[in-house]
Amino acid sequence: MHLDDYNCVMCNSGTEETCFHLFFECPFRQICWDSIPIHWHMSLSPLDMIIEARINFGDVIFRELFLTACWTIWTSRNAVIFDNAQVDNDLWKRLFKEELGQVCIKAKPARSSSLSFWRDSYNV
């Protein structure tokens, strides 16, 4: 498949969109991660970045928050490409909180209460 443009639609910086850019380098993602808050040490390899972020986050619900944030970043990106949506950080936060509500429903009981408490305290 040939595309006319491979640049990131979330930041319009002329940077080629890669998975690493979308989830870790794009200015849009920084606002997303800071709102959770998950902080990334960009000098590490991607796997080490995730391991260190999990350790620094210090809560067993890191995986659920990390995956939900990635999913919401991805679906926000797709909405810009396929639905002509605008990049909107406040909308991202509302969608993240909504998606996390679905994760709470499906989570094991041992994590569900922690996730629900965290979600309820998340400021949109």
Side-chain angles (χ1 to χ4, degrees), residues 13-97:
S13 65
T15 302
E16 181 179 353
E17 181 189 78
T18 63
C19 288
F20 190 80
H21 173 77
L22 180 63
F23 296 112
F24 298 108
E25 294 176 325
C26 181
F28 170 78
R29 67 83 205 157
Q30 182 167 359
I31 293 166
C32 302
W33 293 120
D34 286 350
S35 77
I36 296 178
I38 294 177
H39 303 288
W40 303 106
H41 291 227
M42 301 299 288
S43 63
L44 302 174
S45 70
L47 179 59
D48 288 337
M49 284 172 53
I50 295 168
I51 291 168
E52 183 172 291
R54 183 189 70 203
I55 291 167
N56 290 339
F57 189 78
D59 198 322
V60 295
I61 61 172
F62 174 84
R63 178 178 34 216
E64 289 84 356
L65 297 176
F66 171 70
L67 293 174
T68 303
C70 286
W71 172 252
T72 312
I73 290 170
W74 181 253
T75 57
S76 296
R77 173 245 184 222
N78 286 350
V80 170
I81 293 173
F82 300 114
D83 300 332
N84 220 15
Q86 299 297 310
V87 176
D88 184 338
N89 292 41
D90 291 329
L91 176 60
W92 182 88
K93 291 175 186 178
R94 289 191 304 275
L95 293 173
F96 171 74
K97 190 169 186 172

